[in-house]
């Protein structure tokens, strides 16, 4: 079909033209190939027909391109080739089934992260529970015991333990999953406004399956029953949420959230059931129309593109002719975009927008969204409240960024405002099938354009392409836009955010997975015990002339073989305790208690949002004690995403005072007392702040300056702005601040008051920080006018005309604004990355300024600050008009629009004049560097996986102390995007570590849990990461990363994050933990062994899918190093003791069978067998798993090296299992034969002449002694002997005495009647118990004593030091040890006290000497491999306690302590190694020159870069 086109071209400049690039995925040289390769990884390759359709969608009517005709029915109903969505157009026959229902069925918008539903809970939970081999075994034993022939005295009673275990486990799983269900329901029931009372032909409400109806009815009945019961229980009283309920909150419901909109035109209806026939956008009043027309641009000033046309013109264009109010210029014809609204369509007028639930939204629905709303599904934007069709969205839940992004409405839908417009809109959307690519979308809207002047004509077929810029993705939030009208194309699991999230996995801890293996070992032992019993019994019955011929009436099997067979299965019942079914329920109790302790830990409570550390998966707490790799997001996880302007350099003069985390980390590595230095610097900064505020108010009484919001502290800047250093510096400072106030896309929000406030909403938090600093210094952005921007400059308001805005993107790395100044001059202001700006400066000029500015920027970067360069250029009128024509053509293009715009922009951004540079701090969350350092000391490796750009990640790496100046930074960036190039780079870097990437090297790496030397770090971007994750390169990349201290992956998608976690988890066979705060982190959170969600102030998608939720990153150190290590050690010791105690008991019964021909006679009363695991031996071992502590929480944090045993998995090994098993067999021999030999010599007659050598009383002797032994053994293996543990052990030991006394007091005990006084009254009983206990425990006691004296472990030495009082100073701190106050530890793995650096001043006491990381602490077994002199890794050996002011002031400038401190540090540390396109040293900046003819000079870097 032919697309209607019009001529282009104009010589008229557009006064307010801003191209929204911030939301576009910038194309590289092979963009189409890259996109196709990404899609091919996640879905099958499209057919030729679908590719043709895609090409036709990419072509546009704006360029007058003729599209190829295609069969409109070719792809109907075929989801694999895309989807066709019809709006107010009947479905073709090919898209309907025989019943007239749509053939294509779309996913519901209801999502479920929970594992169960009310109907599936029982069968599904039982299915999961019977994955435990022990549960299957005991079910079999119960079924076996039903048959009396196998000798089970009470089959019903035997089933009680299994029933209790299944019930308690199901109860725990149900509570855990109910919380997920509550969060799901809150999201699914969130409110949105969708069009009702109209026919959505794409779905059929009647086509609901019977199974779904049953599920809905069941769910409703259960909820109704629960609500009625809850109402009866609580009565009519209501109250606020509890502490626990707040902890589980997902986010405020949209319907209950208070609206902050003040415009009466956009107020939502508060009645959820009330329909909205006409949206809250009234028709313009005559006065308003008159006012708008008066303010409208003249005809000659009308823009030639759609980026600034208003609704009235659009409406007239819909009628098929140009606007009469704005006559076209003689040089051009206004573009005609058409409208999907059919003016001749007859409608009922009943359609209205109604508040409905998210789960009710369907594909093809019209939805209306309001400011602050979250997007319920993937929506194509048709119209917005903005006359230019723009809306702003925040994508924090999607990509982790809080900066605003711009989306555009389709030109053909911008006239739509009311519900009746939706009824009249007739069009089709051809969309690609759902895929995971967050940055690309391809579709087209097709409709028949009718001419209002010619109603008899059929109309013209028209189309408009749909890209990612027209799409609102589920999970995003609408910002600074009154309303948006759109149509739904993807719902539920087919939305991009859900496709990147994956399925909620069912996680089991490593110990739980290994436990089945050891249970199988017990099965093998049990099998041989039963086999021996069966064989011996069969052989016995086969013998003749034995006593059984006289005393037995024949075997139960009527033959030796059958008797042996029956005995075999009877032995299974007798020895059933060998397989510890009580172990599973005990572990559930222990893990539940551990989860409660984690939840109740007030030191992990974040009071700012009232959120404790919340366990969501209770059964993997022991995995927290084995974590070796942590994968962390950056934005919102490590940082607060709060940017603060700290420093700048203007005309070669540095300004600003700051003391950053990175600077403190650098000084800590130099041996400086950071606390003393920090206090000194902060005091100086506070004094300078007061002086600066006074000087600012003397210069100008700025009502928008608030003392607490000032981040740029520079009194000398204010002096120079007032002319203290001359007119030249004054002018430079003014021009610099003008650049900050003009070169941006910030939206202002003014709040009246006393004093008034101005808030800035920006696409980037960096941009908001720059504009806020300009405001604080007297250059306040008051808002935007029709033609430009209004500034208040030191009390005087001026208006500047914004001609063009060329926005920032990841490829350009710069942003420019072309401004017409009040005096008529045209100035281009440009800000961007230092290397990009330097390459575009006017060659041969400003050499001295370049050198000074480069030095200052490098110093700022070393402090962990984000740097930008500021430059400008004056344009002649003729030069600008010529360029603007080319820009208009590029802006109107559809094919390769981004490339054309970039080429045009590149042409004007040349021969710039350098103004200076800025330095912004992306503030870390509190305690992040210390937490990372502590985790690193524990042997845990941290990788950062972020969607941010490379330079941002590098800066954060320095701020977090993940990177330092002693590291070689490997910047992995493959320019040609070929596998061969990537493999060559990997091979080159592997040679540095003498590796080849072989399978043998991988096997060695799996068993090497040591932390890599702090000499190398890797930074890799998403495109390069895609290459190295291919099968043939993955192993080499993994081995290379294994050798690096830090790994930073930048510009990665959620799926790539999960792929990296999977690569490390499976490749190295290690325990992994992922932590993030946004929906873009869900995939890696679910992929890792343990997922942790950061409950930020906005968005809880990561929390919903996580295993643990915390308020701040710093709480990880306590969660892992304290609770994780405790849980792992407790569980490992508990399981070993469980196996031991069951072995002792079962084998004691087994030895008795030797003397009765293995006829499966019970040695003890049957109640002892039932109560042994339930009461006689359970409490000590359970409370060992709940309460045992080897060291306190403070010592655990003070000596993080104790955690390394968990990384190496030394607490639970096969050797430990078999050691406890053999110890149990030995003790079972002692327990049985002590009683056996006591009664063997003679008849045992008491003082009253009665014997007590019958089987039940002999069994009482042996059973009581055995119970004492196993409980005492558990106590020996317990570290913490407090009053509770001793009391529980004593109660458990005495319980058999109590039970025997009570039970035998009644005649119902039959043969056991009055056995208690008869047995306990014998002196021989007490003597045997004491002797048996001593003989049984002596080997274990001797072995532990020998190990602690001659082969001590880390924990043994630390416990000894605790006993000696060397950790008493920790009692001064409430929660965790502050940095620099860590005590030393010495052991076989953590060698003697860390030797302090030689410092000028009093040395620290031994108890308070800092324990430095291995990279800077030289001990007996650790050293810095990069140091040849035993220093701390730097070239400086005479560290001071404090950095004083340098002896020489630089440039003779006063009041610059921060700059001079950093200069002094730079003189004493090694040069920067971060020379790359993104992180550039001063030496490199001075060598960059611009190119007049083409692309600016670029350095193509592959791999590491060093400027040594």
């Amino acid at each position: 079909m032919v697309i209607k086109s019009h001529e282009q071209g104009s010589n008229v400049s557009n006064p307010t033209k801003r191209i929204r690039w911030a939301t576009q995925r910038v194309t590289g040289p092979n963009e189409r190939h890259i996109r196709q390769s990404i899609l091919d990884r996640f879905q099958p390759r499209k057919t030729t027909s679908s590719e043709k359709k895609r090409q036709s969608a990419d072509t546009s009517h704006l360029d007058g391109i003729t599209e190829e005709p295609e069969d409109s029915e070719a792809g109907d109903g075929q989801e694999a080739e895309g989807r066709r969505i019809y709006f107010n157009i009947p479905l073709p026959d090919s898209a309907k089934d025989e019943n007239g229902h749509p053939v294509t069925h779309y996913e519901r918008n209801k999502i479920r992260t929970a594992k169960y539903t009310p109907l599936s809970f029982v069968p599904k939970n039982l299915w999961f529970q019977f994955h435990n081999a022990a549960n299957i075994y005991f079910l079999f034993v119960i079924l076996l015991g039903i048959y009396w022939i196998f000798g089970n005295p009470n089959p019903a009673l035997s089933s009680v333990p299994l029933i209790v275990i299944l019930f308690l486990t199901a109860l725990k799983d149900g509570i855990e999953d109910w919380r997920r269900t509550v969060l799901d329901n809150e999201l699914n029931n969130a409110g949105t406004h969708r069009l009702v009372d109209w026919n959505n032909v794409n779905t059929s409400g009647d086509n609901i399956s019977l199974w779904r109806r049953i599920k809905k009815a069941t769910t409703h009945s259960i909820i109704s029953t629960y609500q009625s019961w809850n109402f009866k229980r609580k009565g009519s009283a209501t109250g606020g949420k509890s502490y626990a309920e707040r902890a589980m909150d997902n986010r405020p419901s949209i319907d209950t959230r208070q609206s902050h909109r003040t415009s009466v035109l956009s107020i939502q209806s508060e009645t959820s059931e009330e329909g909205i026939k006409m949206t809250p956008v009234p028709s313009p009043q005559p006065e308003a129309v008159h006012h708008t027309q008066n303010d409208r641009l003249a005809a000659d000033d009308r823009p030639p593109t759609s980026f600034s046309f208003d609704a009235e013109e659009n409406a007239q264009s819909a009628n098929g002719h140009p606007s009469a109010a704005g006559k076209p210029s003689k040089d051009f014809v206004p573009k005609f975009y058409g409208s999907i609204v059919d003016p001749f369509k007859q409608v009922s007028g009943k359609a209205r927008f109604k508040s409905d639930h998210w789960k009710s939204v369907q594909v093809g629905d019209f939805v209306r969204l309001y400011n602050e709303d979250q997007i319920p599904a993937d929506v194509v934007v048709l119209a917005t409240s903005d006359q230019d069709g723009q809306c702003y969205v925040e994508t924090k839940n999607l990509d982790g960024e809080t900066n605003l992004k711009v989306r555009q409405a389709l030109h053909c839908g911008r006239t739509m405002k009311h519900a009746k417009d939706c009824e009249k809109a007739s069009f089709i959307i051809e969309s690609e099938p759902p895929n995971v690519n967050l940055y690309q979308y391809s579709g087209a809207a097709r409709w028949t354009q009718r001419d209002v002047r010619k109603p008899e004509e059929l109309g013209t077929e028209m189309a408009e392409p749909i890209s990612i810029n027209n799409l609102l993705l589920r999970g995003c939030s609408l910002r600074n836009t009154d309303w948006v009208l759109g149509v739904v194309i993807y719902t539920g699991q087919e939305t991009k955010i859900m496709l990147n999230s994956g399925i909620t996995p069912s996680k089991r801890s490593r110990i739980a997975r290994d436990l089945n293996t050891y249970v199988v070992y017990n099965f093998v032992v049990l099998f041989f015990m039963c086999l021996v019993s069966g064989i011996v019994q069969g052989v016995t019955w086969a013998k003749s002339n034995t006593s059984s011929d006289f005393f037995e009436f024949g075997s139960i099997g009527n033959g030796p073989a059958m008797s042996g067979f029956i005995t075999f299965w009877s032995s299974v019942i007798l020895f059933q305790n060998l397989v510890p079914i009580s172990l599973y329920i005990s572990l559930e109790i222990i893990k539940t208690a551990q989860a409660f302790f984690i939840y109740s830990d007030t030191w992990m409570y974040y009071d700012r949002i009232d959120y404790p550390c919340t366990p969501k998966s209770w059964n993997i707490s022991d995995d927290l004690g084995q974590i070796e790799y942590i994968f962390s997001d950056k934005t919102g996880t490590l940082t607060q995403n709060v940017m603060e302007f700290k420093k700048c350099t203007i005309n070669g003069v540095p300004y600003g005072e700051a003391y950053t985390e990175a600077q403190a980390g650098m000084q800590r590595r130099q041996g400086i007392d950071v606390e003393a230095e920090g206090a000194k610097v902060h005091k100086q900064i506070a004094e300078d702040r007061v002086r600066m505020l006074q000087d600012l108010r003397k210069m100008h009484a700025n009502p928008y300056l608030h003392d607490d919001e000032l981040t740029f502290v520079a009194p000398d800047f204010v002096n120079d702005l007032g002319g203290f250093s001359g007119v030249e510096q004054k002018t430079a400072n003014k021009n610099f601040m003008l650049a900050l106030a003009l070169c941006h896309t910030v939206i202002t929000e003014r709040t009246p008051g006393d004093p008034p406030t101005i808030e800035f909403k920006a696409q980037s938090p960096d941009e908001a920080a720059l504009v806020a600093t300009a405001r604080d210094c007297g250059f306040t952005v008051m808002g935007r006018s029709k033609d430009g921007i209004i500034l208040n400059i030191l009390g005087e308001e001026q208006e500047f005309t914004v001609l063009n805005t060329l926005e920032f993107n990841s490829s350009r790395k710069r942003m420019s604004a072309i401004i017409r100044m009040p005096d008529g001059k045209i100035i281009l202001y440009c800000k961007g990355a230092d290397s990009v700006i330097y390459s575009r400066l006017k060659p041969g000029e400003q050499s001295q300024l370049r050198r000074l500015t480069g030095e200052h920027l490098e110093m700022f970067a070393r402090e962990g600050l984000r740097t930008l360069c500021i430059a400008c250029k004056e344009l002649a009128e003729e030069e600008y008009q010529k360029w603007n024509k080319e820009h208009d053509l590029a802006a109107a293009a559809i094919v390769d629009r981004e490339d054309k715009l970039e080429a045009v922009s590149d042409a004007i951004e040349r021969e710039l004049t350098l103004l200076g540079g800025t330095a912004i701090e992306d503030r870390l969350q509190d305690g992040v560097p210390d937490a990372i350092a502590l985790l690193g000391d524990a042997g845990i490796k941290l990788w950062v996986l972020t969607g941010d750009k490379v330079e941002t990640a590098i800066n954060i790496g320095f701020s977090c102390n993940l990177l330092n100046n002693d590291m070689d930074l490997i910047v992995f960036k493959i320019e040609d995007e070929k596998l061969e190039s990537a493999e060559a780079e990997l091979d080159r870097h592997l040679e540095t570590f003498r590796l080849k990437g072989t399978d043998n090297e991988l096997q060695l790496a799996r068993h090497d849990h040591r932390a890599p030397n702090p000499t190398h770090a890797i930074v890799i971007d998403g495109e390069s990461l895609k290459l190295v994750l291919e099968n043939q390169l993955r192993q080499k990349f993994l081995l290379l990363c294994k050798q690096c201290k830090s790994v930073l992956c930048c510009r990665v998608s959620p799926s790539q994050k999960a792929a990296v976690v999977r690569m490390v988890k499976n490749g190295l066979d290690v325990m992994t933990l992922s932590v993030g705060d946004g929906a873009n982190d869900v995939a890696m959170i679910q992929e890792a062994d343990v997922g942790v969600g950061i409950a930020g102030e906005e968005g809880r998608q990561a929390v919903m899918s996580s295993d643990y939720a915390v308020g701040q990153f710093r709480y990880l150190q306590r969660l892992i190093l304290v609770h994780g290590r405790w849980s792992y050690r407790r569980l490992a010791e508990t399981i070993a003791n469980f196996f031991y105690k069951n072995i002792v008991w079962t084998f004691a019964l087994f030895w008795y069978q030797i003397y009765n021909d293995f006829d499966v006679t019970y040695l003890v009363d049957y109640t002892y067998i039932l109560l042994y695991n339930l009461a006689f031996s359970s409490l000590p071992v359970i409370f060992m798993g709940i309460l045992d502590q080897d060291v306190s929480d403070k010592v655990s944090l003070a000596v993080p090296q104790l955690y390394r045993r968990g990384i190496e998995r030394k607490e639970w090994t096969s050797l430990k299992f078999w050691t406890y098993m053999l110890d149990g067999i030995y003790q079972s021999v002692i327990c049985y034969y002590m009683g056996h030999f006591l009664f063997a010599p003679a008849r045992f007659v008491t003082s009253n002449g009665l014997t007590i050598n019958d089987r039940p009383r002999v069994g009482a002797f042996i059973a009581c002694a055995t119970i004492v032994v196993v409980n005492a053994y558990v106590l020996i293996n317990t570290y913490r002997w407090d009053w509770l543990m001793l009391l529980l052990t004593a109660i458990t030991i005495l319980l058999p005495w109590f039970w025997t006394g009570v039970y035998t007091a009644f005649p119902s005990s039959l043969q056991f009647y009055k056995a208690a006084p008869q047995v306990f009254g014998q002196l021989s009983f007490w003597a045997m118990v004491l002797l048996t206990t001593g003989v049984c425990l002596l080997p274990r006691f001797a072995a532990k004593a020998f190990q602690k004296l001659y082969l001590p472990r880390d924990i043994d030495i630390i416990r000894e030091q605790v006993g000696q009082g060397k950790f008493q100073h920790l009692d001064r701190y409430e929660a965790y040890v502050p940095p620099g106050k860590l005590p030393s530890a010495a052991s076989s793995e953590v060698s003697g006290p860390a030797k302090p650096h030689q410092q000028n001043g009093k040395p620290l006491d031994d108890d308070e000497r800092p324990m430095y990381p291995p990279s800077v602490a030289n001990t007996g077994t650790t050293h810095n491999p990069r140091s040849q002199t035993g220093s701390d890794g730097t070239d400086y050996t005479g560290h001071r306690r404090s950095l004083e002011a340098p002896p020489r002031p630089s440039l003779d400038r006063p009041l610059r302590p921060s700059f001079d401190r950093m200069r002094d540090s730079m003189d004493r540390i090694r040069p920067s190694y971060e020379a790359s396109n993104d992180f550039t040293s001063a030496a490199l900046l001075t060598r960059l020159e611009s190119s007049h003819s083409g692309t600016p000079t670029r350095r193509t870097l592959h791999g590491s870069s060093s400027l040594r």
Side-chain angles (χ1 to χ4, degrees), residues 755-785:
T757 59
I758 290 184
E759 293 185 7
F760 300 114
K761 303 294 184 180
Q763 297 186 32
S764 166
D766 302 67
E767 199 169 48
L770 295 176
V771 178
T773 297
R775 174 201 62 195
D776 295 340
C777 294
F779 295 75
T780 305
V781 179
M782 304 301 295
R784 293 187 180 273
S785 64

Side-chain angles (χ1 to χ4, degrees), residues 841-874:
L841 297 178
K842 188 177 297 184
E845 296 184 6
Q846 298 181 300
S847 58
Q848 177 71 4
L849 179 59
R850 293 190 193 194
R851 184 184 63 81
L852 292 175
T853 304
E855 281 187 14
H856 300 161
L857 292 176
E858 183 175 6
M859 283 189 291
F860 298 160
R862 284 177 175 272
E863 296 180 73
L865 301 177
R866 302 156 59 98
T867 58
L868 285 176
C869 270
I870 310 296
C872 67
K873 175 184 180 180
E874 184 174 350

Side-chain angles (χ1 to χ4, degrees), residues 194 234 402 486 585 609 652 1044 1095 1238 1291 1391 1435:
R194 74 183 188 101
K234 294 184 177 180
T402 58
I585 186 60
I609 59 173
C1044 295
L1238 179 64
I1291 291 174
S1391 75
D1435 292 340

Side-chain angles (χ1 to χ4, degrees), residues 1132-1164:
E1133 199 64 36
T1134 297
I1135 294 172
N1137 281 272
F1138 247 102
F1139 281 117
Y1140 150 80
K1141 72 184 186 67
N1142 285 353
I1143 283 288
V1144 174
W1145 179 260
T1146 306
F1147 269 86
L1149 302 179
F1150 179 78
W1151 303 133
Y1152 171 68
Q1153 303 302 314
I1154 297 175
Y1155 301 97
N1156 59 13
D1157 294 330
F1158 289 91
D1159 64 354
V1160 201
T1161 301
Y1162 291 1
L1163 171 62
V1164 298

Side-chain angles (χ1 to χ4, degrees), residues 114 162 175 201 253 284 684 773 899 925 935 967 1144 1194 1382:
L162 180 62
I175 294 174
V201 299
S253 172
Q684 179 66 42
T773 297
D899 293 338
Q925 292 183 11
L935 294 171
M967 287 184 178
V1144 174
K1194 296 176 183 177
L1382 303 177

Side-chain angles (χ1 to χ4, degrees), residues 899-923:
D899 293 338
K900 293 178 181 178
L901 280 172
E902 183 166 354
V904 172
S905 301
D906 179 80
I908 197 69
E909 296 168 327
R910 302 286 184 87
E911 298 189 358
L912 304 177
T913 299
L914 181 64
L915 294 179
T918 64
I920 296 176
E921 182 181 12
D922 184 2
R923 296 193 56 186

Side-chain angles (χ1 to χ4, degrees), residues 294-350:
N294 289 339
D295 289 345
R296 186 160 300 159
L297 295 174
D300 292 341
D301 295 331
R302 295 304 297 157
T305 67
S306 68
F307 298 109
S308 294
F309 74 96
D310 64 321
E312 181 183 348
E313 289 183 60
N314 220 3
Q316 292 169 336
S317 297
N319 296 331
H321 57 84
S323 169
K327 296 181 180 180
S329 168
K330 62 181 180 179
D331 297 324
F332 73 99
V333 178
K335 295 182 180 61
F336 176 65
Y337 296 103
S339 174
I340 57 177
V341 177
D342 186 352
F344 303 106
K345 186 177 182 63
Q346 299 297 322
V347 296
S348 64
K350 296 180 180 179

